[in-house]
Amino acid sequence: MTERNWNAFSVEISDKIATVTLLGPGKGNAMGPDFWSECPQLFAQLDVDPDVRAVLLTGSGKHFTYGLDLAAMGGEFAPLMADKALAGPRTVFHDMIKRMQLATNAVADCRKPVVAAVHGWCIGGGLDLISAADIRYASADAKFSVREVKVAIVADMGSLARLPAIIGDGHLRELALTGKDIDAARAEKIGLVNDVFDDYDALLVGARATAAEIAANPPLVVHGIKTVLDHSRSAAVDDSLRYVAAWNAAFLASNDLTEAITSVFEKRPADFSGS
């Protein structure tokens, strides 16, 4: 793997396992411009690195990730919200969504299986990210939320496309339509995570043990298993991602989105009007 200093990640490779740690740089490893630009590059390198046979994905500090960094990314919404924002800014915004989707797609498409180890909060874009992983584990303090509805956004980075095959349609609709938080026990019950560990240290030990089991197997066969498993749902995922990108380019701009962003910065409950 090419030596590089990443802003949003740290990467350590040992015993055929790449440990990828989210760094932010936003609070709670929030996903800002660095994350969306670096993630496709990083996982493309891991995909072709012969010294990597499995990837362990985790977060630094007390949380996996708070999700989209609204403070850092809020400016991207401005042209779409401007008066008379017609085809031009909507096309630019559509292209931006497609570029951002490359981040979670890169995780899903990486031929090296990805084991996600989640502790603390995993919100919004965090669910998009772990839905692209092959295996998910959590510590007992982990909390999950498909929270985009709370900020007047249709989740467009992959959770609506990938989670139906993981937790089922009913559980996904409950999470996506309410934006509620669930704890690790609930996440395990609905199949979002495979297992729950007592604390972060135990989580990393358990997740790394699974990654090591994968790395000990014949790598080309592992690639084949992942490719065959992904084949039956890849067309549906691709179609869903294209559709939601077009949907949000057309309908994301609203008074409710302005209210949602404003309420976040003013640290108050939002009052949505449906306009």
Side-chain angles (χ1 to χ4, degrees):
M1 181 174 172
T2 304
E3 289 292 331
R4 174 171 170 176
N5 291 322
W6 306 93
N7 293 319
F9 305 91
S10 68
V11 184
E12 296 181 6
I13 299 174
S14 64
D15 301 323
K16 303 294 184 180
I17 299 169
T19 300
V20 176
T21 305
L22 302 176
L23 298 179
K27 183 180 179 181
N29 305 320
M31 299 165 161
D34 287 333
F35 171 86
W36 300 108
S37 65
E38 291 180 357
C39 193
Q41 301 171 48
L42 170 56
F43 277 86
Q45 288 192 27
L46 295 174
D47 179 76
V48 298
D49 191 335
D51 292 327
V52 175
R53 294 189 180 182
V55 179
L56 172 57
L57 176 63
T58 189
S60 61
K62 296 181 179 179
H63 303 285
F64 184 73
T65 177
Y66 285 168
L68 182 69
D69 190 337
L70 278 174
M73 301 295 293
E76 303 291 345
F77 296 103
L80 191 68
M81 303 297 292
D83 186 40
K84 296 181 180 180
L86 300 176
R90 291 177 187 274
T91 299
V92 171
F93 189 74
H94 178 264
D95 292 345
M96 184 196 75
I97 293 173
K98 297 291 286 183
R99 286 195 303 273
M100 290 173 68
Q101 287 176 343
L102 294 176
T104 51
N105 287 348
V107 176
D109 294 341
C110 182
R111 290 174 296 173
K112 315 304 171 63
V114 179
V115 180
V118 180
H119 69 296
W121 279 110
C122 179
I123 301 172
L127 266 293
D128 296 311
L129 182 60
I130 67 170
S131 71
D134 297 279
I135 298 168
R136 289 157 294 279
Y137 295 126
S139 58
D141 70 335
K143 290 172 285 188
F144 304 83
S145 178
V146 184
R147 197 174 292 181
E148 284 86 348
V149 68
K150 296 292 190 182
V151 289
I153 296 174
V154 177
D156 53 11
M157 293 296 122
S159 58
L160 300 188
R162 296 187 173 98
L163 284 178
I166 298 169
I167 64 175
D169 185 72
H171 290 306
L172 174 57
R173 286 174 186 266
E174 180 182 358
L175 295 180
L177 293 171
T178 65
K180 65 167 56 177
D181 306 332
I182 62 170
D183 61 17
R186 176 68 175 170
E188 183 181 22
K189 184 176 181 179
I190 66 176
L192 179 59
V193 299
N194 294 42
D195 203 354
V196 176
F197 296 85
D198 289 340
D199 54 35
Y200 181 58
D201 290 338
L203 168 68
L204 289 186
V205 171
R208 187 172 182 85
T210 295
E213 286 189 75
I214 294 170
N217 289 329
L220 297 182
V221 175
V222 169
H223 298 174
I225 291 170
K226 180 167 179 175
T227 300
V228 171
L229 288 173
D230 288 345
H231 174 73
S232 62
R233 64 182 182 181
S234 60
V237 169
D238 291 344
D239 182 65
S240 177
L241 290 172
R242 287 195 301 271
Y243 186 78
V244 74
W247 179 276
N248 274 350
F251 298 115
L252 185 72
S254 68
N255 291 326
D256 281 343
L257 177 61
T258 300
E259 167 64 8
I261 295 174
T262 302
S263 69
V264 168
F265 287 109
E266 293 181 355
K267 298 181 179 179
R268 61 170 175 81
D271 182 15
F272 296 123
S273 62
S275 64

